[in-house]
Amino acid sequence: MIDQPTTLETILYAKEERAWKQKELLSRHPLASLISLTINIPSLIKLSHEAVVAHEIAHQALLEMLQEEGIELLACESKLSPSGAESFFTCKVDAKVLKAFTCKVEMTHPLGRLMDIDVLDLTGNILSRSALGLPKRRCFACEEEAQLCARSQRHTYAELNLYIKQLVEKHAFAHSIALWCERAMQTEVELTPKPGLVDQANSGAHHDMDIHTFYTSIRAIKPFVIQWIQTAQTYAHEDAKQSFVRLRKIGIACEKAMFEATSNVNTHKGMIFCLAVFCGAIGRLKGCNQSFTCKRLQTQMQALCANLVEDDLLHVKPNSAGARFFYETGSSGIRGIAQSGFDIIFESALPFFQACKKEEGEEIALKKTLLLLMSRLDDSTLWSRGGVEGLAYAKTQTQALLHVKPNAENLDTFLRELDADMISKNLSPGGSADLLAMTWLLSHIVKEC
């Protein structure tokens, strides 16, 4: 839904629906005032990535404002739709007082120009800035009055949206990366069908989780992405191994939050480790004002994870799943992948995905990239469920399937057959799923390879 264009008809209908919602909320709380928040996005892609980031930040800023000013919040609702992101806050306070506070948010917040914050009094009347003696809103790209620029179409959509992207990058970088990480995890779990994995059709080989468990887990993980980014950015110039210690500490807290949210179901433990390393690399590059190229990301990841296999596997007793996997198979698992700078992604999965996406579209590219990863990865999740035999079986099956070169018409048929087979054998390629999400994520972040 994000980054997809909508229609003028949909936008106009959403405006009518918003007016109805405002009326309904005020009737439910007859002595209250209402904040109606939307985001100013001058194009037909109303729910852009930047719009969602700006909405999340604006929503939180308004909650904090209400708390700081001691204003009682009676109700709060928000939603995302193709016509944009919006929130409603029903408050027990005089509308003029509320309007003054919201105007302050618009004028002082770094992303304030993107925020369209209406305040309605108990009769449903929308208060204007001029009623408080405040100046009219200014244009994104210049200091002229916003309405005048809009009417004369002084700036193109491309110019305005470039300004918005730069504004979000400057003032909400960590939040933007957090949304990319959230989208990557959602993209992976929603991809259907997938062999042995949770998707929209079934729970794969898992009996203790479904897609809703994953959504809950993703929500729990997202705040820690911001912590990883900000920590790595703050300490960008310190020794990489010391940064890794900081990242791992946050990762442990993230794992705890995940388990608490999912009632002790392990949905994303491997993904949390991958994200910690990725965010550490991104944050360090950002802190050093360097662009995000494949080479630079790999270099940072390798530095963060230097000697990780030796530290975590060679010099410890095999009392963890990763250590047992290492001693039985000789594979260093996700630690070895991280220590290589995720070489399997940069050298294989990412170029394969990008080429396939160009020819056959993103969904088919994701499915085929998953098969590629399963055919090459020593997946510890497969090993933990089926031993060396189960791991070998998954590799053999996916190698054979890739050799057939399935097309768009028969790919899903093959995947459903493999899904049923792997479910019957209790096999799930969780490690490959994590790297698929990372591949999608990197395809949207890296500037060049």
Side-chain angles (χ1 to χ4, degrees), residues 95-107:
K96 288 185 178 180
V97 173
L98 192 58
K99 182 64 176 179
F101 287 133
T102 59
C103 285
K104 183 179 178 181
V105 173
E106 287 179 337
M107 292 187 295

Side-chain angles (χ1 to χ4, degrees), residues 241 244 300-311 338-339:
K241 291 300 292 180
F244 182 78
Q300 287 291 342
M301 290 173 171
Q302 289 166 346
L304 287 167
C305 300
N307 302 314
L308 186 60
V309 172
E310 291 81 353
D311 294 342
Q339 187 168 305

